[in-house]
């Protein structure tokens, strides 16, 4: 080959020269910018952020626990649960709360009647309890006092409860009544052995420790819930009363109540009828002084014929309470006598026809079977 051929071959197949390796435009004609080094966040910054998040989480958990404790595990929450049970008529459930139920020893130690009956600790004897509002919670040593306001049977009231720690559930505290919220209603009902409390029927002989021998005038101790409104009334065939309402708002205190029943119109009508029958029977006796009767006639001369009695004016009977029974109040009546009298001086016979005013009174005793025994009496009138 000639020299020119060799040069042509080298120009087509030879590698680029060293000078062509220097920086310059790319095959596409664009210039690539230099890469910046990646900057990593420091470990300290990451740990700080994690710490902040942790503190926030702990705070949120603590706040949530505080809310839960106030709502469910605080003295206030404990009292609110008790009052909610009473509001819903759940007397049996309310008695199961710690510190509510009491025994005779606790009653006696508090100076309350140890024989108090539990007859009223039931739903049927509860009045309505609404608008319950906790107004304060105050801690004093181991005790916490919770004061609430409410409407009991439509009457406003306020009660303070004493609460103390009873243990824990997990890490949450539990509570109990340091002083039982029960109270004792010391009830005296005159004029009836039967009565109603908030419509619940009670017979003294069923709840008294003396049973059928219960003294009709003796106070009858009955356990009641606080707070609570208790209306005591009598509504029998013999006696009745519009009722007396008492608010039990002081836990573990004695609430004296006295109710005097009045005779019903039906009872007075029965007594009126029995008195008239009694006097009419007295008038059948053909003697001057009818036996066991409130009227009679006295003469100084000789009786010449059998006396004839009649009742011209029957008494208008009125009945009033008298201890455990009743009494017929003194009232006027008039009998009439027809009798022949012979004078001891001259033997003359005179026909006596005379009205005899007299006074009627009496007593009424009601037996255990509910039957009334009426005894009519009165001073003799000459």
């Amino acid at each position: 080959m000639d020299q020119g051929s060799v040069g042509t071959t080298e120009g087509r197949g030879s590698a680029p020269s060293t000078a062509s390796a220097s920086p310059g435009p790319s095959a596409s004609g664009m210039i690539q910018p230099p890469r910046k080094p990646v900057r990593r966040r420091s470990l300290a910054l990451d740990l700080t952020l994690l710490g902040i998040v942790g503190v926030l989480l702990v705070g949120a958990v603590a706040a949530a626990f505080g809310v839960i404790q106030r709502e469910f595990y605080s003295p206030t929450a404990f009292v609110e649960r008790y009052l909610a049970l009473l509001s819903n008529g759940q007397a049996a459930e309310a008695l199961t709360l710690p510190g509510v139920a009491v025994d005779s020893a606790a009653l006696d130690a508090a100076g309350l009647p140890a024989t108090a009956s539990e007859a009223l600790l039931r739903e049927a004897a509860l009045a309505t309890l609404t608008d319950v509002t906790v107004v304060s919670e105050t801690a004093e040593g181991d005790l916490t006092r919770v004061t609430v306001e409410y409407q009991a049977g439509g009457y406003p009231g306020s009660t303070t409860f004493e609460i103390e720690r009873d243990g824990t559930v997990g890490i949450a505290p539990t509570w109990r009544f340091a002083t039982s919220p029960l109270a004792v209603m010391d009830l005296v009902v005159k004029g009836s052995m039967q009565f109603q409390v908030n419509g619940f029927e009670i017979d003294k002989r069923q709840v008294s420790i003396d049973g059928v021998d219960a003294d009709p005038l003796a106070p009858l101790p009955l356990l009641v819930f606080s707070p609570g409104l208790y209306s005591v009334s009598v509504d029998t065939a013999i006696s009745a009363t519009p009722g007396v309402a008492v608010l039990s708002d002081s836990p573990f205190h004695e609430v004296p109540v006295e109710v005097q029943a009045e005779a019903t119109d039906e009872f007075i009508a029965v007594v009126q009828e029995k008195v008239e029958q009694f006097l009419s029977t007295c008038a059948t006796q053909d003697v001057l002084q009818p036996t066991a009767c409130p009227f009679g006639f006295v003469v100084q001369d000789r009786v010449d014929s059998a006396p004839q009695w009649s009742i011209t004016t029957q008494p208008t009977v009125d009945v009033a309470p008298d201890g455990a029974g009743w009494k017929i109040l003194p009232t006027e009546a008039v009998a009439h006598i027809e009798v022949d009298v012979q004078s001891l001086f001259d033997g003359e016979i005179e026909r006596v026809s005379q009205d005899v005013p007299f006074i009627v009174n009496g007593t009424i005793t009601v037996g255990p079977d509910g039957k009334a025994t009426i005894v009519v009496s009165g001073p003799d009138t000459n």
Side-chain angles (χ1 to χ4, degrees), residues 44 127 133 141 151 191 243 248 267 289 295 305 312 330 351 356 364 371:
T133 304
Q151 292 281 327
S248 172
F267 181 45
Q289 301 289 335
F295 58 85
S305 67
T312 58
R351 182 69 174 178
V356 181
I364 305 170
K371 294 182 179 180

Side-chain angles (χ1 to χ4, degrees), residues 102-115 252:
V102 293
D103 55 21
S104 58
L107 290 169
D108 187 61
L112 298 173
T115 58
F252 231 49

Side-chain angles (χ1 to χ4, degrees), residues 115-318:
T115 58
S117 169
E118 298 181 354
L120 297 181
L121 300 180
R122 63 183 68 208
E123 178 181 358
L126 290 179
T128 58
L129 187 66
T130 59
D131 301 333
V132 176
T133 304
V134 176
V135 295
S136 68
E137 177 183 312
T138 305
E140 298 181 11
D142 294 333
L143 291 180
T144 300
R145 290 182 171 85
V146 179
T147 300
V148 298
E149 294 179 350
Y150 46 82
Q151 292 281 327
Y155 293 87
S158 175
T159 299
T160 298
F161 301 95
E162 292 185 344
I163 311 299
E164 63 184 359
R165 284 287 297 270
D166 190 39
T168 58
V169 175
I171 60 173
T174 58
W175 305 91
R176 64 179 289 112
F177 286 103
T179 301
S180 172
L182 300 182
V184 176
M185 182 166 62
D186 223 18
L187 179 61
V188 176
V189 177
K190 297 180 178 179
S192 179
M193 293 297 285
Q194 295 87 31
F195 58 93
Q196 300 87 40
V197 178
N198 291 341
F200 178 68
E201 296 278 349
I202 294 180
D203 189 301
K204 296 178 185 178
R205 293 158 292 198
Q206 294 175 340
V207 296
S208 171
I209 60 170
D210 297 322
V212 295
D213 297 323
D215 183 348
L217 296 181
L220 189 64
L222 299 164
L223 286 169
V224 293
F225 288 104
S226 292
L229 185 75
Y230 293 89
S231 178
V232 183
S233 60
V234 176
D235 185 13
T236 68
I238 292 177
S239 57
T241 176
V244 175
V246 58
L247 179 62
S248 172
D249 58 359
S250 299
F252 231 49
H253 278 67
E254 194 167 7
V255 184
V257 182
E258 183 171 316
V259 175
Q260 176 63 71
E262 300 294 334
T264 62
D265 292 340
E266 293 79 6
F267 181 45
I268 294 175
V270 169
V271 176
Q272 176 77 41
E273 179 183 357
K274 297 300 182 182
V275 169
E276 290 181 5
Q277 291 177 357
F278 173 78
L279 295 178
S280 296
T281 300
C282 283
T284 64
Q285 299 184 41
D286 53 359
V287 294
L288 292 177
Q289 301 289 335
T291 304
C293 296
F295 58 85
F297 190 72
V298 177
V299 296
Q300 301 299 326
D301 296 320
R302 180 182 297 162
V303 175
D304 193 57
S305 67
Q308 300 295 315
W309 287 100
S310 63
I311 305 299
T312 58
T313 303
Q314 291 281 5
T316 300
V317 171
D318 195 10

